[in-house]
Amino acid sequence: MIESCPRKRMLLGITILGGLTIFVLIAESHWTQNNNSRKRIFRVEQNSTCFEREKYEIVDECQPCTDFEITSKSIGVCIHTHYKEVLKCASGEMVTRSCDKVAYIEEQKFWKFESFMFLPAFLSTVAVYVRKKVLYKRMVQRVQRQLANSV
């Protein structure tokens, strides 16, 4: 178990894990910057691109398309990302375009993930606490036996 691992080996393992973490963070930020530099192409209903030339107002925030809209293809933008938002251009034209993700759904997923991860973390903490008590009890019993044998 981990109790029998020497201090130098533990420090070496922690250092390697720390270095690997930093490497992954640097590589991920590099790839993310490269991906964001490309212009996002949003699919648009009726091939209207007035929002690229004019000022626009978001009428409906990004929201998921219904199953009916996806399967029936009644709204063409729902086929690509399964999310849509409605814009109103300065000329008065209403445009439906696809969008990436819905903020409140992503937030719900995040908190669901956090709550699911809390349970294993709590169980691990309890297991460590119980294991520590067991090892402490064994140590005390061993010391008591040694003292009893020496008397």
Side-chain angles (χ1 to χ4, degrees), residues 58-75:
I58 298 177
V59 178
D60 281 335
E61 292 286 329
C62 191
Q63 55 186 317
C65 298
T66 62
D67 290 335
F68 176 75
E69 290 171 337
I70 294 169
T71 55
S72 70
K73 300 178 184 175
S74 61
I75 297 178

Side-chain angles (χ1 to χ4, degrees), residues 13-131:
I14 290 171
T15 305
I16 290 172
L17 285 175
L20 182 64
T21 302
I22 291 171
F23 172 74
V24 167
L25 288 173
I26 291 171
E28 182 182 3
S29 69
H30 176 70
W31 288 330
T32 305
Q33 287 172 357
N34 288 345
N35 289 339
N36 286 344
S37 64
R38 288 187 232 140
K39 186 177 179 183
R40 293 285 304 161
I41 299 174
F42 291 104
R43 304 290 183 203
V44 181
E45 184 89 8
Q46 302 163 345
N47 293 330
S48 177
T49 57
C50 68
F51 62 91
E52 292 177 353
R53 299 182 307 268
E54 307 171 9
K55 290 188 176 184
Y56 62 90
E57 175 186 335
I58 298 177
V59 178
D60 281 335
E61 292 286 329
C62 191
Q63 55 186 317
C65 298
T66 62
D67 290 335
F68 176 75
E69 290 171 337
I70 294 169
T71 55
S72 70
K73 300 178 184 175
S74 61
I75 297 178
V77 297
C78 288
I79 299 168
H80 306 287
T81 61
H82 302 294
Y83 297 108
K84 65 179 178 181
E85 68 181 347
V86 179
L87 310 173
K88 182 177 182 181
C89 295
S91 61
E93 185 178 359
M94 298 290 277
V95 177
T96 305
R97 76 172 179 183
S98 63
C99 51
D100 281 336
K101 294 180 180 172
V102 182
Y104 71 90
I105 292 177
E106 294 301 314
E107 186 177 353
Q108 286 176 348
K109 287 180 183 178
F110 170 76
W111 286 113
K112 195 179 292 185
F113 173 76
E114 286 293 318
S115 59
F116 284 139
M117 289 300 108
F118 177 77
L119 182 64
F122 179 74
L123 292 175
S124 297
T125 304
V126 169
V128 167
Y129 180 75
V130 168
R131 178 75 176 154

Side-chain angles (χ1 to χ4, degrees), residues 3 5 126:
E3 298 90 22
C5 195
V126 169

